[in-house]
Amino acid sequence: MAPPQAPANGAVVHGGSNGGVVVPGGGGTAAPSSENGAGGGHHGGGSIDGGVVGGTTTVPSSVAAAANGNGKQLGTRKRKKKPAPAVVSPMDKYWTPIDDKEAAEAVEDGGEDGRRPLLFRTYRVKGILLHPYRLLTLLRLIAIILFFIWRIRHPYADGMWLWWISIVGDFWFGVTWLLNQVAKLNPIKRVPDLTLLSQQFDLPDGNSNLPRLDVFINTVDPINEPMIYTMNSILSILAVDYPIDRTATYLSDDGGSIIHYEGLLETANFAKLWVPFCRKHSIEPRAPESYFSVKSRPYTGNVPDEFADDHRCMSKEYDEFKVRLDALFTKIPERSDAYNAEAKEGVKATWMADGTQWPGTWFDPAENHKKGQHAGIVKVMLNHPGDEPRFGGPASAETPLDFSAVDVRLPMLVYISREKNPSYDHQKKAGAMNVQLRVSALLTNAPFIINFDGDHYVNNSQAFRAAMCFMLDRRDGDNTAFVQFPQRFDDVDPTDRYCNHNRVFFDATLLGLNGIQGPSYVGTGCMFRRIAVYGIDPPRWRTDAFKLVDNPNKYGNSMPFINSIPSAANQEWSMTSPPAHEESVMEELNNVMKCAYEDGTEFGKEIGWVYNIATEDVVTGFRVHRTGWRSMYCRIEPDAFRGTAPINLTERLYQILRWSGGSLEMFFSHCPLLAGRRLNFMQRIAYTNMTAYPISSVFLVFYLLFPVIWIFRGEFYIQKPFPTYVLYLVIVIVMTELIGMVEIKWAGLTLLDWIRNEQFYIIGATAVYPLATLHIVLKLVLRGNGVSFKLTAKQATSTVNEKYAEMYVVQWAPLLIPTIVVIAVNVGAIGAAIGKAIVGGWSLLQMADASLGLVFNAWILVLIYPFALGIIGRWSKRPYILFILFMIGFVVVAAVVVAIHAARTGSFRFHFRHSGGASFPTSWGF
């Protein structure tokens, strides 16, 4: 796995509330470089990007502080240094604060009279970029309008049916561009202040008043989703810098696999070493696979003398841990065979280590023990740790590391596998998360929830605290339903060939939405307020007659679950988990996991995660926004979370197919345009754009295949006069690129990010968006089942020798065909133009028109370039081979055109209008 991004501004160990995390140094800057969640600084001045004031850097000096799980160790105050010049991140260069007055008032009142401090700062783009950005948008809109007026007044073309198609297509492109652009006209960045959060909620004795937090992780198959990823995710969560007694982690294994269960047991045992090691040395990131993948990194802890030996020991322990995980795939079947031989029963059961049969899925499927049919399972792997610190001991045979000054408690950890019955639709991930919602309510009932996919891990141990800054802020925290983090990925090739990082969306579009009602919910790495998921109204929309539970029946028949709802609304409520082994508790847990529990309830509709759609995350976020809640976007450095992404072309296209098909389905089944008055108008526009975009492919494919007419017919114009048409197009396209260049600046993107976004939009529009449109036609119009969506397989951890190996594997699938056709058509068009130029005797005007067409064809090939690399497999390691193949294609097609011309005329003539030519008999082979 790739290492995390190193701090750009020089590494120091920040004392105070940051628990020794690496943060940028320097002092006195007023730029928003504390987008870096590693700090936040004081409102009255000083650095806001690392909590370092006046160049003074301190480390904590109280062992008691380690009881909070923050990784703080004994240390001494370092002498003052001369303040270094402020270094501003390129991502923050063009942002300016807009809440200085509120910040000053917050410093003055000091949080008195029960008022909470401002826990985040708000920034907007400086006028030097924002005003040109808005002006260019307006000018492009005017150009588009003038273009349409001109086209309507000049209905001239070689084929009027094509003219009408192009008119409708251009109108749709203009509308979708406007829908996309208006949502980004007021981008807002909010930067968490972790220093003030610590001052407000962390206590001098090392405990904390931060709210409780439940963490949801979802996985299905230990093969398609390699278990090492899931267990690394859990280890990073257990080691996060958050009060130990106030977090609980719930792993939902939707396949009911004993491999996951026993893997979690191994992980819980390994965590007894790994988590204290993380706290002792303040390491980042806290997922061992990622941490040990880098051979060297700056040391940020306070016990450097012991680090080398501890690091060596932990590396060995982790290697042994991975061996034990791999061994489960053979160990459990062998154990089961031994038990089955003794039992001498007809069925081949899967057995647990304690000699009992596994209640979930067996290796040899049997009735009530197979995927889609098994009992519900809840196992508490790590009990609630209590609120008193428990320090470890010196190094020994049992514990090879010295943890005598480290709190060795571990957060609560629970394994869940819901009941499955073939007569029920289990609603995939959404159904699993709704079960997690009910089970966690009975055990810990934290007022806040954060969810992860099984392949994502905590890359910045301060991430949970960063999200809490938005939830607990006194301005609009109580009305904030969720905080969405961007998705970042390891093991993506350096050029991001298939646009996995999707930075234009995460670093530009979501910042635009942040200035309206908030970003959309995009799945993993999102913290929720529990009552918002329950469908309860936000405080600002509550009337005097408001009741938290207005209709208990919509929540089901579990009274303990229903009674837990008011407590979940109290973010200061602290609950010690009830003993899960008690009969009454187990009975209620089994009840809320049953398939039939949701019958007659609002789960999957107005409560929990939404059902019957491939993009349950976006629809769930839309429902929450529609209720009147807002959301926040949190981008911090180092990245809060990281995961894996499909670097194989076919797998990536299947992923986009699932997203685009679900988005289009949402447009028709949960139309944003028809949402109630609580949804902000601009937010409504943004959701419309996010759900209707696949329709553009219908017209885009038409344009991309239009050159085929040139191959067979020759000159053919969809609009006359053609030079004026081209002039309008050039103006519109140039203005689009200028807008993009300005957007790159304020969003902190690179030119490559922008190019990759454009390239993969075209690839998606040819390969998968048409299929997504077909899906919605089959499902909604013809009342069919639509197109089935394939689960994206995660790449296995690769060795250095085979890094990015999956990127060079060609997995042929039908959805590759449309884009291959587009490539063939445009290569053919260029080749045909060359051939006709040789034999046609064109005028200068014809040459000019053909040149414009060739520019279009070449541009299309540039946009589809990543796809073309993908389908040539290992040859793509040498991109010049693709260029050679294109040249060969041009020559072959040109030769065919020349040969056909020669066959028709009986001779072949190189024709140049002003310099004569040369004729050859066809017997020469032309």
Side-chain angles (χ1 to χ4, degrees):
M1 303 178 80
Q5 184 176 2
N9 300 6
V12 296
V13 182
H14 174 55
S17 67
N18 284 357
V21 69
V22 180
V23 297
T29 178
S33 25
S34 69
E35 156 158 306
N36 240 311
H42 303 282
H43 288 304
S47 170
I48 63 170
D49 83 340
V52 183
V53 182
T56 302
T57 307
T58 63
V59 291
S61 58
S62 172
V63 175
N68 195 30
N70 295 342
K72 303 172 185 173
Q73 301 297 315
L74 288 171
T76 57
R77 181 176 297 274
K78 295 183 180 179
R79 65 184 181 184
K80 293 186 177 182
K81 296 180 181 180
K82 184 178 180 181
V87 180
V88 181
S89 166
M91 300 182 76
D92 305 321
K93 183 178 179 181
Y94 297 102
W95 295 81
T96 184
I98 59 174
D99 58 355
D100 284 338
K101 183 177 179 180
E102 289 180 292
E105 292 174 352
V107 171
E108 290 178 4
D109 66 45
E112 295 176 357
D113 302 325
R115 300 185 69 196
R116 289 172 288 180
L118 304 187
L119 297 177
F120 64 83
R121 295 297 305 274
T122 305
Y123 298 84
R124 76 172 187 177
V125 179
K126 292 180 179 178
I128 192 173
L129 283 186
L130 185 61
H131 298 326
Y133 186 70
R134 292 173 174 175
L135 178 62
L136 285 170
T137 300
L138 177 62
L139 292 177
R140 189 181 190 276
L141 177 61
I142 293 173
I144 290 175
I145 293 174
L146 293 176
F147 178 49
F148 277 114
I149 293 174
W150 177 82
R151 291 205 67 186
I152 294 298
R153 290 179 175 177
H154 298 79
Y156 313 123
D158 287 337
M160 288 305 296
W161 62 277
L162 287 176
W163 183 88
W164 278 109
I165 293 177
S166 69
I167 282 288
V168 176
D170 286 347
F171 175 78
W172 178 257
F173 293 145
V175 170
T176 55
W177 169 82
L178 185 62
L179 294 178
N180 178 66
Q181 198 62 31
V182 294
K184 295 188 285 188
L185 293 180
N186 185 36
I188 292 293
K189 180 186 295 183
R190 295 183 174 90
V191 180
D193 192 327
L194 300 183
T195 301
L196 282 182
L197 181 78
S198 178
Q199 292 173 358
Q200 181 73 11
F201 292 95
D202 290 343
L203 304 177
D205 63 358
N207 288 313
S208 177
N209 286 328
L210 283 169
R212 297 180 66 91
L213 176 65
D214 288 338
V215 185
F216 294 173
I217 308 176
N218 296 87
T219 188
V220 179
D221 191 312
I223 305 298
N224 287 336
E225 299 175 304
M227 187 168 59
I228 189 64
Y229 290 150
T230 305
M231 299 309 152
N232 265 268
S233 176
I234 291 168
L235 288 168
S236 70
I237 292 167
L238 295 177
V240 78
D241 181 3
Y242 201 82
I244 302 169
D245 60 319
R246 290 175 174 264
T247 60
T249 303
Y250 294 84
L251 172 67
S252 172
D253 172 20
D254 221 28
S257 170
I258 192 173
I259 297 289
H260 278 137
Y261 173 74
E262 297 207 2
L264 197 59
L265 283 174
E266 292 287 353
T267 302
N269 287 327
F270 177 70
K272 295 174 183 178
L273 283 178
W274 173 252
V275 174
F277 169 74
C278 293
R279 294 172 186 159
K280 179 179 180 179
H281 295 290
S282 303
I283 70 165
E284 299 283 348
R286 300 189 176 182
E289 187 70 24
S290 179
Y291 178 74
F292 289 120
S293 66
V294 177
K295 293 183 179 179
S296 64
R297 63 177 72 242
Y299 180 71
T300 60
N302 302 307
V303 199
D305 295 341
E306 301 178 24
F307 177 69
D309 290 339
D310 288 358
H311 183 278
R312 191 180 304 110
C313 177
M314 281 308 308
S315 179
K316 177 183 177 183
E317 292 286 344
Y318 180 59
D319 288 340
E320 293 175 356
F321 166 69
K322 290 194 290 185
V323 170
R324 291 194 297 272
L325 287 184
D326 290 339
L328 293 176
F329 289 91
T330 56
K331 175 183 175 181
I332 298 174
E334 289 174 357
R335 181 180 66 211
S336 298
D337 289 342
Y339 276 117
N340 287 327
E342 292 179 9
K344 296 181 180 179
E345 296 180 2
V347 295
K348 292 184 178 181
T350 297
W351 294 78
M352 301 171 67
D354 62 1
T356 60
Q357 292 185 359
W358 173 243
T361 302
W362 289 352
F363 288 110
D364 293 301
E367 194 70 15
N368 297 322
H369 292 284
K370 56 186 176 182
K371 286 186 178 181
Q373 186 182 18
H374 58 76
I377 309 168
V378 176
K379 299 282 187 180
V380 177
M381 318 297 279
L382 293 172
N383 288 313
H384 189 275
D387 55 5
E388 293 297 325
R390 187 173 69 255
F391 294 98
S396 64
E398 295 182 358
T399 306
L401 278 67
D402 181 2
F403 294 143
S404 56
V406 183
D407 189 349
V408 296
R409 289 179 300 161
L410 296 177
M412 188 173 176
L413 178 62
V414 182
Y415 172 90
I416 300 173
S417 183
R418 56 179 170 148
E419 180 189 71
K420 291 288 188 71
N421 189 308
S423 61
Y424 283 85
D425 184 348
H426 301 114
Q427 299 295 341
K428 301 185 172 103
K429 180 181 175 181
M433 294 186 73
N434 283 339
V435 171
Q436 282 177 303
L437 196 64
R438 296 192 293 270
V439 169
S440 63
L442 296 177
L443 289 178
T444 49
N445 198 31
F448 297 100
I449 299 165
I450 189 165
N451 74 284
F452 291 94
D453 288 344
D455 61 329
H456 278 66
Y457 65 90
V458 180
N459 183 65
N460 185 334
S461 64
Q462 299 274 302
F464 292 0
R465 288 174 172 263
M468 282 297 175
C469 289
F470 299 102
M471 292 294 195
L472 304 179
D473 187 84
R474 75 187 189 191
R475 285 164 292 187
D476 214 17
D478 291 338
N479 290 297
T480 298
F482 62 89
V483 178
Q484 178 66 62
F485 289 86
Q487 295 180 12
R488 306 296 194 214
F489 302 101
D490 293 325
D491 285 346
V492 173
D493 64 294
T495 63
D496 192 15
R497 180 192 287 182
Y498 301 133
C499 197
N500 282 289
H501 289 305
N502 202 4
R503 290 190 182 274
V504 171
F505 175 75
F506 283 112
D507 295 334
T509 302
L510 291 191
L511 284 176
L513 294 178
N514 210 29
I516 310 174
Q517 199 172 340
S520 57
Y521 169 40
V522 292
T524 183
C526 185
M527 180 180 288
F528 271 96
R529 190 178 298 272
R530 185 182 285 266
I531 61 170
V533 183
Y534 287 160
I536 296 172
D537 290 343
R540 63 176 177 171
W541 288 102
R542 295 173 186 172
T543 63
D544 294 337
F546 170 78
K547 292 182 180 179
L548 273 175
V549 184
D550 55 349
N551 178 15
N553 293 331
K554 68 182 183 180
Y555 294 98
N557 58 18
S558 173
M559 290 311 300
F561 170 64
I562 294 171
N563 293 335
S564 73
I565 296 174
S567 298
N570 180 8
Q571 62 193 28
E572 298 178 359
W573 176 72
S574 180
M575 167 187 173
T576 301
S577 175
H581 59 271
E582 288 189 0
E583 185 176 346
S584 59
V585 177
M586 285 304 303
E587 183 178 345
E588 203 58 45
L589 288 172
N590 288 328
N591 178 37
V592 299
M593 284 194 299
K594 289 185 178 298
C595 300
Y597 182 85
E598 295 182 354
D599 292 348
T601 71
E602 289 295 315
F603 276 99
K605 290 172 281 191
E606 297 302 319
I607 300 174
W609 278 261
V610 176
Y611 291 162
N612 298 312
I613 195 164
T615 51
E616 76 288 331
D617 44 10
V618 179
V619 181
T620 300
F622 167 72
R623 190 203 68 209
V624 170
H625 279 141
R626 188 188 63 195
T627 310
W629 293 91
R630 69 157 297 115
S631 59
M632 299 284 188
Y633 181 62
C634 182
R635 187 176 71 184
I636 62 177
E637 291 292 340
D639 297 327
F641 315 115
R642 296 186 73 86
T644 60
I647 62 172
N648 179 271
L649 174 61
T650 305
E651 292 293 341
R652 175 70 168 134
L653 291 177
Y654 275 124
Q655 184 184 61
I656 296 176
L657 174 61
R658 187 173 69 253
W659 292 345
S660 57
S663 296
L664 194 55
E665 187 175 346
M666 174 184 165
F667 177 76
F668 289 98
S669 60
H670 302 78
C671 184
L673 296 174
L674 303 179
R677 64 188 180 92
R678 296 185 183 182
L679 187 68
N680 182 286
F681 175 75
M682 294 303 297
Q683 193 80 11
R684 192 184 309 257
I685 295 299
Y687 270 116
T688 301
N689 175 63
M690 284 190 292
T691 54
Y693 69 90
I695 298 176
S696 301
S697 65
V698 175
F699 304 103
L700 195 56
V701 169
F702 158 75
Y703 276 113
L704 298 180
L705 294 178
F706 178 75
V708 74
I709 299 178
W710 169 262
I711 297 175
F712 295 106
R713 175 167 174 172
E715 295 181 6
F716 190 92
Y717 299 103
I718 60 173
Q719 178 67 60
K720 295 180 179 180
F722 190 66
T724 307
Y725 174 68
V726 171
L727 178 61
Y728 271 113
L729 288 180
V730 169
I731 291 173
V732 171
I733 292 173
V734 168
M735 294 185 70
T736 301
E737 301 307 318
L738 288 175
I739 292 171
M741 294 306 101
V742 179
E743 189 171 301
I744 285 174
K745 288 292 185 181
W746 63 252
L749 305 172
T750 66
L751 182 60
L752 182 61
D753 292 329
W754 181 260
I755 292 172
R756 285 289 186 252
N757 183 74
E758 290 196 341
Q759 287 177 326
F760 228 77
Y761 174 77
I762 296 297
I763 293 171
T766 55
V768 296
Y769 297 167
L771 191 58
T773 306
L774 175 63
H775 160 76
I776 204 66
V777 170
L778 293 176
K779 186 169 184 178
L780 298 183
V781 179
L782 302 180
R783 301 297 178 184
N785 294 325
V787 178
S788 60
F789 297 120
K790 177 181 178 290
L791 177 66
T792 305
K794 308 297 183 184
Q795 56 172 316
T797 305
S798 59
T799 64
V800 175
N801 294 330
E802 56 182 20
K803 199 167 188 178
Y804 314 129
E806 293 188 32
M807 187 168 67
Y808 305 115
V809 176
V810 181
Q811 298 180 11
W812 290 104
L815 51 72
L816 299 178
I817 295 175
T819 313
I820 293 175
V821 171
V822 170
I823 293 175
V825 166
N826 283 274
V827 168
I830 294 175
I834 295 172
K836 291 178 181 180
I838 293 174
V839 301
W842 285 349
S843 65
L844 289 177
L845 180 60
Q846 289 174 315
M847 292 287 287
D849 290 348
S851 298
L852 292 174
L854 290 178
V855 169
F856 172 80
N857 300 136
W859 179 238
I860 294 304
L861 293 178
V862 168
L863 291 176
I864 301 180
Y865 168 76
F867 178 94
L869 285 177
I871 61 174
I872 64 173
R874 294 193 174 275
W875 286 4
S876 65
K877 293 181 178 181
R878 299 174 178 83
Y880 63 83
I881 293 179
L882 180 62
F883 178 77
I884 294 173
L885 291 175
F886 279 154
M887 293 299 104
I888 293 174
F890 300 153
V891 172
V892 169
V893 175
V896 170
V897 171
V898 170
I900 292 175
H901 176 80
R904 288 177 177 176
T905 61
S907 66
F908 168 61
R909 178 180 177 84
F910 285 108
H911 199 298
F912 308 98
R913 178 172 292 275
H914 299 292
S915 58
S919 298
F920 305 92
T922 55
S923 59
W924 286 19
F926 290 101

